[in-house]
Amino acid sequence: MSAVTVTPIEGWNPDQYERFHAERRQPFDDLVALCIPVPGGRIVDLGCGTGNLTVELHDRMKAAETVGVDSSQAMLDRAKASHGDVSGLSFVAGSIETWLGQGLDLVFANASLQWADDHLNLLARMRTALAEGGQLAFQVPSNFRHPSHLLALQVANESPFIDALEDDPPVDRGRYVLTPEIYADLLYELGAEKQVVRMQVYGHELDSTADVVEWVMGTLLTPYRTRLSPELFTAFVDRYRERLLEELGDREPYFYGFRRILCWAQFS
């Protein structure tokens, strides 16, 4: 079967992403709590999304200048519309994998670095962007072996989805997320004088198992929305939901345990 050419569409949906705003902010709060305020300092938030948490980061760190960087125009449009008038806060388009900076007091990345491939070189670039005494803080999901993630790739390999994807389904991002001890080693080798690295499980009580589908629609499934036609993406989600309920059971409520790695370091 020949593949159908699909015009790329915006994969990120701000409304879908913000549906679980309260749950997604828990690790953000924990990460910010590790950071030392930088009164009058300069900050970058890599993968700022809708900017709702970027503005809080800006305020809580008492920064003079905070720049939110994101590759999604839909997310940036929402961020600018909601927070574009905040003094010292701005939003720009950019890719984490090519981003460069200098003289920053804090490089911050909340649940975004998993979309980049080479974390060794990525952390080195983030380190070189820091001023003396600068901080690096990031949080990445580590839930890639949960059925919610594994089943997406399994469904992608079924027909007709694998045909539309030209036998090249979206990459399992879990292969690029490192272990806590490796992140700790890397931060040490980069010259961190202080660091905190920990794995944490965030427990989310969702209304039902089916809500897991709504959760991953805001993140994990975005590459599928981009590459499949709207009709085929709907069919993909329906099949994914079917497989997920078979695997996890149709439970109300459903406890969704989500593993994340939090890292903070300060450099001389």
Side-chain angles (χ1 to χ4, degrees), residues 176-188:
Y176 299 110
V177 172
L178 308 177
T179 62
E181 57 270 26
I182 291 179
Y183 282 124
D185 287 343
L186 289 176
L187 292 172
Y188 175 81

Side-chain angles (χ1 to χ4, degrees), residues 14-34:
D15 292 328
Q16 187 72 40
Y17 184 81
E18 292 292 340
R19 177 166 178 169
F20 297 98
H21 173 74
E23 292 84 356
R24 296 191 193 281
R25 74 162 297 138
Q26 293 174 25
F28 165 84
D29 286 334
D30 291 341
L31 189 61
V32 172
L34 294 173

Side-chain angles (χ1 to χ4, degrees), residues 81-222:
S82 301
H83 311 293
D85 60 348
V86 176
S87 177
L89 184 62
S90 61
F91 299 94
V92 299
S95 167
I96 291 174
E97 293 193 284
T98 58
W99 173 84
L100 293 171
Q102 61 180 354
L104 296 166
D105 298 291
L106 171 63
V107 174
F108 190 90
N110 180 55
S112 58
L113 300 191
Q114 71 273 13
W115 297 106
D117 293 353
D118 185 352
H119 284 200
L120 173 61
N121 286 321
L122 174 60
L123 293 185
R125 280 191 291 110
M126 295 168 74
R127 165 68 182 93
T128 61
L130 295 176
E132 181 178 349
Q135 304 169 69
L136 172 59
F138 64 93
Q139 174 267 119
V140 288
S142 185
N143 220 44
F144 298 98
R145 301 283 69 88
H146 190 279
S148 60
H149 287 64
L150 295 174
L151 289 174
L153 190 57
Q154 291 180 23
V155 172
N157 278 281
E158 296 179 3
S159 185
F161 314 116
I162 191 62
D163 303 304
L165 294 169
E166 298 181 318
D167 294 317
D168 182 29
V171 174
D172 173 14
R173 303 311 309 175
R175 71 173 62 178
Y176 299 110
V177 172
L178 308 177
T179 62
E181 57 270 26
I182 291 179
Y183 282 124
D185 287 343
L186 289 176
L187 292 172
Y188 175 81
E189 293 297 330
L190 290 171
E193 290 193 334
K194 302 176 184 177
Q195 65 164 278
V196 176
V197 176
R198 71 173 187 252
M199 174 79 77
Q200 187 162 337
V201 178
Y202 290 87
H204 305 299
E205 185 179 79
L206 306 182
D207 288 341
S208 68
T209 311
D211 271 355
V212 175
V213 181
E214 299 302 319
W215 181 289
V216 299
M217 283 268 284
T219 53
L220 176 71
L221 300 189
T222 54

Side-chain angles (χ1 to χ4, degrees), residues 152-153 156 165 169-170 220-229 233 236:
L153 190 57
L165 294 169
L220 176 71
L221 300 189
T222 54
Y224 297 95
R225 182 186 286 113
T226 301
R227 295 180 56 190
L228 296 173
S229 68
F233 179 68
F236 177 88

